[in-house]
Amino acid sequence: MEQTLAALPERTRLAFEMKRFGGYKLREISAELDVSIVRAAQLVNEAMAACQAALDEAAPRN
């Protein structure tokens, strides 16, 4: 998972870390990163999708 997060664009990674680890609200992330609230949500969702894809790839196949 660390590799997945490290591979994300910086702003995407920051938005994700602020939301998931820092407990920031989307409006706080948008203000900190100087983006719209909609864009902050998109950044968090992009990071979540990358994390889910990494987990899916790592899952054992039957």
Side-chain angles (χ1 to χ4, degrees), residues 5-60:
L5 291 176
L8 292 172
E10 182 179 8
R11 193 167 61 166
T12 304
R13 181 184 52 77
L14 285 172
F16 177 79
E17 289 175 347
M18 291 171 74
K19 179 72 173 161
R20 293 296 171 184
F21 305 134
Y24 285 71
K25 294 181 167 67
L26 288 174
R27 66 177 147 73
E28 295 169 319
I29 296 169
S30 70
E32 184 70 28
L33 299 180
D34 195 28
V35 297
S36 69
I37 293 173
V38 170
R39 183 62 183 138
Q42 289 172 337
L43 292 169
V44 171
N45 288 336
E46 288 169 11
M48 286 293 292
C51 290
Q52 185 62 57
L55 290 173
D56 290 346
E57 286 179 20

